């Protein structure tokens, strides 16, 4: 299959959808790979590395779209990219359709086949192409938290790990899923005194088993949260209720019970945030202060570490990319239910129920398209 890797043009997006190692794997399987010039620059991969791995470098984004059967991207297409997408072209990327009617309608109009990373789903309901970004955001939340706890950054001026004779910082993690677990492990590794809260008792049992001794587990409810906040220095919001807005576990009135310079990192900001006073921020201007409490609410945290994020993402996507390239999207989706769950829009039809419901549009079962001649 002829595969194209365009350079991401969304503001501040430095990730790229395939590494030179991924190009090499596709070439080994007999495929042609076009990479737009400088597509990998932001993640530290040069045109030369891609050429050596077997890619052909194309000078413009137009040529990449024009010559490819499958486009692999990172972010959803933006306005300038809509006209480049061709009927029947397969586009494999993060789309997050339910949050944009404009994008949904544009992709329906394009006649393309849209395979969304975020809905590829395993039998146990886990989302293998979302997990790597949660791992990155979870680990990064502690790094950012440690930085903003420093006095010149507006924080309390406490060192996360303390020193002999001085107590370490106290870190509270709301939600013990992928983000929460990675945050707790990082904070514990830096020597902090960590408490992790969840409503899922089985998850708490698991965490109690695998976490280091400086991590305590706690059941999540308002009473316990109110009891813990006055003594904690860094609070990380990492809850998720699938398909719903995040619940406000930290309310505005709770801020006055925290010490000035306490740092709140709301990783769940992309789901509306679990801190009432959270509003989305950017890497250019990541923090703001409410009632003396520092808020960090960057919605695309992995974008700040494109090298790590690109490798983490492509480690997870490449096996699926290879299946689609080797078999074509129809057979690959017939053979693998995980990929089938990733189909969102096919040649003008919405085939993913949640997206159709979000905009009150008709839902056509994906199976209808699997046996059609394309
Ligand atoms: N800001 C970013 O850049 C970024 C990056 C990756 C993920 N995220 C977001 O981070 C959030 C967490 O993602 P995840 O992959 O860890 O999800 P996950 O499903 O693995 O974990 C969520 C956890 O929250 C728990 N939970 C639900 N309600 C709770 C409550 N009331 N109190 C305490 N815990 C509760 C669940 O039991 C679960 O264990 C999501 O909103 C995700 O979109 C943001």
């Amino acid at each position: 299959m002829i595969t194209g890797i365009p350079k991401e043009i969304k503001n501040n997006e430095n990730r790229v959808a395939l590494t030179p190692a991924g190009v090499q794997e596709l070439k080994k399987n007999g495929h042609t790979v076009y990479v737009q010039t400088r597509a990998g620059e932001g993640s530290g991969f040069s045109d030369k590395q891609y050429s050596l791995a077997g890619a052909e470098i194309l000078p413009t984004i137009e040529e990449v779209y024009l010559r490819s059967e499958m486009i692999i991207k990172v972010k959803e297409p933006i306005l300038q990219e809509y006209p480049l997408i061709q009927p029947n072209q397969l586009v494999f990327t993060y789309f997050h359709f339910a949050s944009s009617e404009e994008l949904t309608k544009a992709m329906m109009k394009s006649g393309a086949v849209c395979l969304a990373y975020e809905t590829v789903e395993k039998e146990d309901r886990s989302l293998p192409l979302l997990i790597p970004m949660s791992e990155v955001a979870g680990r990064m939340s502690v790094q950012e938290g440690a930085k903003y706890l420093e006095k010149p950054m507006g924080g309390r001026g406490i060192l996360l790990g303390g020193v002999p004779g001085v107590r370490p910082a106290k870190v509270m993690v709301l939600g013990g899923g992928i983000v929460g677990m990675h945050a707790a492990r990082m904070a514990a590794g830096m020597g902090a005194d960590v408490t992790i809260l969840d409503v899922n008792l089985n998850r708490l049992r698991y965490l109690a088993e695998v976490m280091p001794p400086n991590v305590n587990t706690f059941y999540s409810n308002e009473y316990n949260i109110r009891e813990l906040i006055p003594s904690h220095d860094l609070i990380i919001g990492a809850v998720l209720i699938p398909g719903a807005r995040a619940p406000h576990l930290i309310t505005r009135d709770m801020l006055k019970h925290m010490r000035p310079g306490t740092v709140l990192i709301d990783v769940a900001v992309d789901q509306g945030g679990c801190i009432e006073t959270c509003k989305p921020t950017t890497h250019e201007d990541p923090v703001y202060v409410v009632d003396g409490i520092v808020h960090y609410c960057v919605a695309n945290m992995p974008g700040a570490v494109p090298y790590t994020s690109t490798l983490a993402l492509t480690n997870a996507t490449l096996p699926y990319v290879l299946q689609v390239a080797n078999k074509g999207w129809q057979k690959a989706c017939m053979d693998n239910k995980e990929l089938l769950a990733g189909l969102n829009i096919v040649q003008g039809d919405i085939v993913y129920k949640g997206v159709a419901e979000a905009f009150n549009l008709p839902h056509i079962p994906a199976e209808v398209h699997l046996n059609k001649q394309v």
Side-chain angles (χ1 to χ4, degrees):
M1 187 177 280
I2 305 171
T3 302
I5 315 297
K7 182 172 166 56
E8 295 295 324
I9 55 174
K10 195 169 173 174
N11 191 20
N12 268 311
E13 182 52 68
N14 285 300
R15 287 173 291 176
V16 61
L18 202 68
T19 59
V23 170
Q24 194 171 59
E25 289 305 309
L26 277 168
K27 289 296 291 180
K28 268 194 341 212
N29 282 264
H31 305 292
T32 300
V33 187
Y34 292 123
V35 176
Q36 186 185 343
T37 183
R38 301 171 73 187
E41 204 171 50
S43 296
F45 302 117
S46 65
D47 286 355
K48 189 159 176 223
Q49 285 171 291
Y50 282 107
S51 303
L52 286 173
E56 196 175 316
I57 308 296
L58 294 180
T60 64
I61 191 166
E62 286 79 9
E63 274 178 88
V64 174
Y65 275 86
L66 200 65
R67 292 169 71 167
S68 305
E69 294 166 281
M70 167 162 70
I71 294 290
I72 320 175
K73 271 177 63 55
V74 178
K75 293 305 281 186
E76 73 283 356
I78 58 172
L79 199 61
Q80 297 100 290
E81 290 165 310
Y82 295 171
L84 302 175
I85 298 170
Q86 300 165 57
N88 296 330
Q89 193 165 47
L90 175 68
V91 185
F92 196 17
T93 190
Y94 287 122
F95 280 104
H96 297 287
F97 279 121
S99 63
S100 171
E101 188 166 358
E102 179 203 288
L103 176 68
T104 303
K105 294 206 163 141
M107 290 305 105
M108 288 171 78
K109 198 168 149 215
S110 73
V113 176
C114 301
L115 196 52
Y117 290 158
E118 69 274 9
T119 65
V120 171
E121 185 175 326
K122 286 188 179 281
E123 217 172 317
D124 62 4
R125 308 224 57 197
S126 63
L127 304 169
L129 304 187
L130 276 184
I131 288 175
M133 294 304 102
S134 286
E135 291 170 338
V136 171
R139 286 172 177 240
M140 199 178 143
S141 65
V142 173
Q143 196 168 308
E144 294 301 300
K147 182 166 84 194
Y148 287 103
L149 277 173
E150 291 169 11
K151 200 75 182 169
M153 305 302 284
R156 290 195 62 222
I158 184 166
L159 186 65
L160 212 61
V163 289
V166 184
R167 77 158 181 88
K170 281 176 163 261
V171 177
M172 176 174 162
V173 182
L174 294 161
I178 308 289
V179 170
M181 185 172 84
H182 282 266
R185 193 177 284 288
M186 283 301 280
M190 287 172 83
D193 181 352
V194 185
T195 304
I196 186 162
L197 297 93
D198 206 295
V199 284
N200 179 339
L201 273 181
N202 280 336
R203 186 67 185 173
L204 289 176
R205 286 187 186 107
Y206 169 76
L207 291 168
E209 201 66 42
V210 301
M211 282 287 150
N214 52 337
V215 177
N216 287 303
T217 57
F218 234 66
Y219 191 75
S220 173
N221 55 34
E222 188 182 337
Y223 187 93
N224 287 344
I225 291 170
R226 280 191 185 275
E227 190 171 272
L228 291 169
I229 50 172
S231 61
H232 280 74
D233 306 291
L234 169 61
I235 300 176
I236 296 169
V239 305
L240 177 66
I241 301 177
R245 254 191 88 92
H248 286 156
L249 302 183
I250 303 281
T251 55
R252 176 159 195 148
D253 82 288
M254 290 182 188
L255 300 191
K256 60 177 180 287
H257 301 294
M258 298 174 188
R259 288 170 295 201
T262 297
V263 175
L264 309 182
I265 309 260
D266 201 344
V267 185
V269 56
D270 58 342
Q271 295 294 122
C274 60
I275 294 167
E276 190 178 0
T277 42
C278 153
K279 57 175 194 301
T281 58
T282 60
H283 289 297
E284 285 78 58
D285 196 8
V287 292
Y288 58 95
V289 177
V290 180
D291 296 347
I293 307 301
V294 181
H295 292 57
Y296 174 105
C297 310
V298 176
N300 65 330
M301 294 174 68
V305 286
Y307 173 78
T308 305
S309 299
T310 288
L311 286 165
L313 179 64
T314 56
N315 285 343
T317 54
L318 188 61
Y320 295 101
V321 167
L322 283 172
Q323 287 171 48
V324 174
N326 289 343
K327 299 178 175 183
W329 68 269
Q330 287 166 305
K331 178 142 178 39
C333 290
M334 273 193 271
D335 289 354
N336 185 347
K337 292 229 159 24
E338 298 172 19
L339 267 173
L340 182 63
L343 281 178
N344 276 228
I345 293 178
V346 179
Q347 296 146 353
D349 290 337
I350 302 182
V351 299
Y352 194 84
K353 213 166 179 196
V355 177
E357 281 170 1
F359 307 117
N360 238 333
L361 290 167
H363 167 241
I364 311 291
E367 286 77 4
V368 169
H369 285 275
L370 294 185
N371 294 311
K372 266 198 207 160
Q373 210 62 36
V374 182

